Amino acid sequence: MTKERVCIIGSGNWGSAVGKIVGENVLKHKDIFETEVRQWVFEEDYKGEKLTEVINREKENPKYLPGIKFTSNIKAVPDLIEASRDASVLVFVLPHQFVRGVCEKMKGTISQDAKAISLIKGLEIKPEGVTLFSEEIARKLEMTHVAALSGANIADEVALERFCESTIGCRSIEDGQLFFKLFNTDYFHVNVIRDYVGVELCGALKNIVAVGAGISDGLGYGSNTKAAIIRLGLMEMRKFGQTFFGTVEDSTFFESCGVADLITTCSGGRNRKVAEAFAITGKPIDVLERHMLNGQKLQGTLTAQEVHQFLSARKMTHEFPLFETVYRIIYENAPLESIVRDI
């Protein structure tokens, strides 16, 4: 049997944590996977050296996941085409604004029989429609379909092997079994379902709710208020999915990608953290982003803007009061107190 060759596209905080899991599981299942895992790393300078050289020497990504060692079979590669050459399994774990450019470069170099999974927590939402990144990757690379993974997975905690769960949405039972072996560990429990659309929607929309939770925290409103925001947010996530994507299943919102990820993100994620600072300091989001996120980008505020434009085009903003309130506070200078007054 021909063994699967895995390539990881991306190497930030979450990408590095995923690299650790994949590296371990490839060694555990040598009958299925080739030992070497190439990881495409956007080349940066790190203390006067190339980041890829530091990663390959130290078996660690000191910029985005310091103190966490990788298995020796992870190889950081700065050239995207070289990293993905001959790969039969592609793991996409990079900021969603780079997906199209990366796929454009890879176009024509990837086998149509290759399998792919998106760990990208985001959607492209325009007034005319919503694009799932799994579907965009499949379209660009001419694949039949692409799976999605999302869950209550704060990267640093996953890297430290603190127990958590995650959800894989995959239409193919066979591919789902393969991805289960690639990601499931004693500390990272994976459940495979067919509703890949629901998995991706939850991963993007929960970031809007987390911004609302952060504003509430910044105002000092306490646990009861945050619980209300989380519940209302979950209801709007469900309503959005079932209104605009008829295939989304109720049960998906009770998976790790749904309510669990929502609770985690509203408790400790970067969207909550930056939104709290926004409420306390009054500084612009882009300034806080630069100061607090070490080069990473905030997803919740952008998604709130995109959802507002999408709903406005359909004259439906009034049906999603929490999403709309978060948008108005961030982009229209609505009073911070709107987060409880207008939802």
Side-chain angles (χ1 to χ4, degrees):
M1 185 180 77
T2 304
K3 293 183 181 181
E4 306 282 358
R5 179 177 288 281
V6 181
C7 170
I8 302 171
I9 311 292
S11 60
N13 183 236
W14 182 217
S16 297
V18 166
K20 179 179 181 293
I21 290 172
V22 170
E24 291 168 357
N25 278 346
V26 160
L27 293 177
K28 193 187 299 181
H29 299 288
K30 289 182 179 178
D31 57 322
I32 299 172
F33 300 105
E34 295 279 358
T35 300
E36 183 184 73
V37 176
R38 295 185 201 136
Q39 183 161 24
W40 175 63
V41 175
F42 180 77
E43 193 68 280
E44 299 179 68
D45 178 84
Y46 181 77
K47 295 184 178 178
E49 291 188 80
K50 292 179 178 178
L51 182 58
T52 51
E53 292 177 1
V54 177
I55 292 171
N56 287 328
R57 184 182 69 241
E58 304 295 334
K59 295 302 170 188
E60 176 185 337
N61 189 330
K63 177 160 186 177
Y64 295 111
L65 198 64
I68 302 297
K69 295 295 182 183
F70 303 143
T71 47
S72 60
N73 58 322
I74 295 287
K75 182 183 179 184
V77 180
D79 183 87
L80 176 62
I81 302 306
E82 182 189 340
S84 58
R85 183 177 289 117
D86 301 325
S88 60
V89 179
L90 299 168
V91 178
F92 286 86
V93 54
L94 71 167
H96 74 259
Q97 55 266 40
F98 302 120
V99 172
R100 276 205 177 82
V102 163
C103 288
E104 212 48 65
K105 287 182 182 175
M106 295 170 66
K107 199 170 182 178
T109 68
I110 302 297
S111 167
Q112 289 186 349
D113 296 328
K115 294 161 279 291
I117 185 165
S118 168
L119 279 65
I120 300 159
K121 287 192 176 181
L123 301 168
E124 182 179 74
I125 306 174
K126 292 184 176 180
E128 57 269 23
V130 179
T131 301
L132 303 175
F133 282 106
S134 65
E135 293 179 346
E136 184 67 0
I137 292 166
R139 188 177 68 80
K140 288 276 187 186
L141 299 183
E142 298 179 345
M143 294 178 164
T144 307
H145 62 265
V146 173
L149 180 149
S150 187
N153 309 140
I154 291 175
D156 293 349
E157 294 181 17
V158 173
L160 291 168
E161 301 189 7
R162 293 175 182 165
F163 177 82
C164 68
E165 298 177 305
S166 200
T167 312
I168 290 176
C170 186
R171 282 179 282 182
S172 161
I173 293 172
E174 189 177 284
D175 288 357
Q177 291 170 342
L178 180 75
F179 289 131
F180 179 85
K181 287 173 179 164
L182 190 61
F183 290 101
N184 188 69
T185 72
D186 291 341
Y187 61 89
F188 191 76
H189 279 201
V190 169
N191 188 36
V192 182
I193 64 175
R194 291 182 64 85
D195 183 13
Y196 73 99
V197 174
V199 170
E200 286 187 81
L201 281 173
C202 286
L205 296 177
K206 53 94 182 181
N207 288 326
I208 305 176
V209 187
V211 172
I215 292 168
S216 175
D217 285 346
L219 291 168
Y221 282 165
S223 300
N224 292 346
T225 304
K226 192 195 285 194
I229 288 171
I230 290 172
R231 189 195 74 82
L232 291 166
L234 183 63
M235 296 301 288
E236 290 193 15
M237 288 165 57
R238 176 175 173 268
K239 183 175 182 178
F240 189 96
Q242 296 186 340
T243 300
F244 303 112
F245 295 87
T247 60
V248 173
E249 298 176 12
D250 249 359
S251 57
T252 301
F253 296 93
F254 295 95
E255 293 284 343
S256 180
C257 64
V259 66
D261 194 13
L262 181 61
I263 292 168
T264 297
T265 309
C266 290
S267 302
R270 63 180 181 251
N271 290 281
R272 188 218 65 83
K273 179 181 172 184
V274 174
E276 179 184 41
F278 172 79
I280 292 170
T281 68
K283 292 180 180 177
I285 287 289
D286 60 337
V287 172
L288 293 168
E289 197 176 52
R290 285 197 299 273
H291 290 167
M292 298 175 68
L293 296 185
N294 190 31
Q296 297 181 87
K297 305 298 285 182
L298 207 62
Q299 305 292 348
T301 51
L302 175 62
T303 304
Q305 184 181 45
E306 291 177 343
V307 165
H308 166 76
Q309 292 168 349
F310 177 84
L311 293 172
S312 292
R314 289 154 183 78
K315 296 181 170 50
M316 293 178 68
T317 54
H318 62 284
E319 294 191 32
F320 297 84
L322 177 60
F323 290 172
E324 183 65 9
T325 298
V326 168
Y327 166 78
R328 290 192 304 105
I329 290 172
I330 298 299
Y331 292 100
E332 296 183 351
N333 297 314
L336 295 171
E337 294 76 17
S338 302
I339 200 59
V340 293
R341 192 185 64 207
D342 295 347
I343 63 174

